[in-house]
Amino acid sequence: MKRKVTKAIFPVAGLGTRFLPATKSVPKEIMTLVDRPLIQYAIDEARAAGIKEFIFVTSRGKGALEDYFDHAPQLEEELRRKGKNQLLETLESTNMESGAIAYIRQHKALGLGHAVWCARRLIADEPFAVILPDDVIAADKPCLQQMVEAYAETGGNMVAAMEVAPEKTSSYGMLDVSEDMGAMVRVQGMVEKPPAGQAPSNLAVIGRYILSPSVLTNLQKIKSGAGGEIQLTDAIAREIENENGVYGYRFAGQRFDCGSKSGFLQATVAFGLAREELHDDLSAYLHDIVTMGKAAE
Ligand code: G1P
């Protein structure tokens, strides 16, 4: 049965140790690309895809994330008084409707699958999306929206997919493909972080999912997998035998791995260049340092 996808889970419980010392007091998801926190990009993408309920799976020390989504009446009033209408608009565009956000705590870091399972009572019996805010995707049509449209045709379960270099396959959930239909592939196997050289293909899972509620039941049953964690990949793989099956969707867009410093910096440059007011300065600077680097060689 195909249904509208109106709920999304955002797993944000991770400690963000790769970004220490910043993440000592700032949740990783609040770190900014230009001037918007990572989580704002994820929320904007979800909204564009028609998501109405936003479920955050958090952990200790993530208070700043909850505060971020509060309205800021004093600040808004001040901006209004000063006639700073554009800033006011920017601020208001981040406001969330009352009751649209729910926070659930993951008490133990038992893995992505466990984090998603923590939200099971809020999902109940509906298909739902999962967005990993570390994966930031620049696209004309936001990635989850592309997937929701494709999902309207297929139903079942769908994961975002992207070709990765052979030496990178052990960092991802990897797909075994039975039928390649272009943008869409039918999946006959999934393996989380396979050892080097053992991936079934070069097609990796990227952090956007549309899942049937039975994945939550699967999560209840599975044992810990790769890295000793409860893996979402393993729970989705159990759906392959079901009539609805699992699809991979090669999205159009550029994905940045903002869980790594290098990816985060690349995203900062890309999103900076995409801003009209920053483009000229930034590109002149980049051009200069590349030319200087070449001259020094
Ligand atoms: C998670 C998933 C993995 C997926 C990846 C995409 O891994 O477990 O299947 O390929 O996100 O970014 P993580 O990067 O959180 O270890």
Side-chain angles (χ1 to χ4, degrees):
M1 186 180 47
K2 294 175 212 164
R3 285 171 64 172
K4 245 180 120 88
V5 187
T6 59
K7 297 181 178 177
I9 300 176
F10 300 79
V12 289
L15 293 175
T17 47
R18 278 197 240 175
F19 287 91
L20 279 170
T23 44
K24 243 172 101 180
S25 69
V26 182
K28 185 178 58 176
E29 298 76 18
I30 292 290
M31 287 174 50
T32 54
L33 293 176
V34 190
D35 50 14
R36 296 167 87 72
L38 278 189
I39 195 67
Q40 189 66 52
Y41 290 87
I43 292 282
D44 290 349
E45 187 177 328
R47 275 175 159 167
I51 299 297
K52 303 280 183 258
E53 291 179 51
F54 304 80
I55 302 163
F56 287 81
V57 183
T58 69
S59 61
R60 206 168 294 129
K62 296 277 179 169
L65 200 56
E66 299 192 20
D67 291 344
Y68 176 78
F69 286 111
D70 261 353
H71 289 210
Q74 258 180 339
L75 191 54
E76 284 177 20
E77 187 44 45
E78 188 70 9
L79 294 174
R80 199 168 292 120
R81 208 171 49 78
K82 291 187 173 156
K84 299 199 165 172
N85 295 334
Q86 201 154 7
L87 278 180
L88 186 63
E89 229 173 80
T90 306
L91 198 61
E92 283 175 345
S93 73
T94 65
N95 285 348
M96 302 293 282
E97 199 194 325
S98 295
I101 300 192
Y103 301 95
I104 298 267
R105 282 269 178 123
Q106 184 187 23
H107 294 110
K108 280 188 188 164
L110 296 177
L112 175 60
H114 179 261
V116 168
W117 179 76
C118 286
R120 65 200 176 281
R121 293 205 172 84
L122 292 176
I123 297 294
D125 198 25
E126 289 179 39
F128 59 98
V130 178
I131 295 190
L132 309 187
D134 270 359
D135 282 330
V136 175
I137 300 172
D140 289 340
K141 184 185 281 185
C143 179
L144 191 65
Q145 191 183 348
Q146 296 175 38
M147 289 172 68
V148 161
E149 289 173 9
Y151 172 84
E153 304 296 319
T154 61
N157 299 272
M158 187 175 285
V159 300
M162 182 181 101
E163 256 84 25
V164 297
E167 66 275 14
K168 295 274 169 72
T169 53
S170 55
S171 303
Y172 293 92
M174 299 302 300
L175 300 178
D176 188 359
V177 171
S178 62
E179 198 185 339
D180 196 329
M181 298 161 273
M184 193 98 75
V185 301
R186 194 176 252 285
V187 173
Q188 62 178 359
M190 294 174 81
V191 42
E192 180 68 14
K193 304 197 173 82
Q198 289 182 32
S201 75
N202 278 357
L203 204 54
V205 176
I206 299 302
R208 303 288 184 277
Y209 307 78
I210 299 176
L211 302 174
S212 57
S214 47
V215 170
L216 297 169
T217 329
N218 301 346
L219 280 167
Q220 174 90 36
K221 294 180 200 149
I222 61 170
K223 300 209 169 63
S224 49
E229 297 188 335
I230 308 280
Q231 295 294 352
L232 184 58
T233 300
D234 297 343
I236 302 171
R238 288 202 169 199
E239 292 293 293
I240 291 169
E241 299 309 320
N242 292 350
E243 58 175 311
N244 290 329
V246 176
Y247 298 90
Y249 183 79
R250 287 192 185 94
F251 55 93
Q254 190 180 2
R255 173 257 186 178
F256 296 93
D257 174 12
C258 290
S260 80
K261 284 176 206 167
S262 165
F264 199 97
L265 288 170
Q266 288 169 32
T268 301
V269 173
F271 282 90
L273 286 174
R275 287 286 186 86
E276 209 180 310
E277 74 277 21
L278 297 175
H279 180 273
D280 291 355
D281 261 8
L282 187 55
S283 66
Y285 171 69
L286 291 172
H287 178 263
D288 282 355
I289 52 173
V290 170
T291 326
M292 274 194 290
K294 282 209 179 113
E297 273 169 21

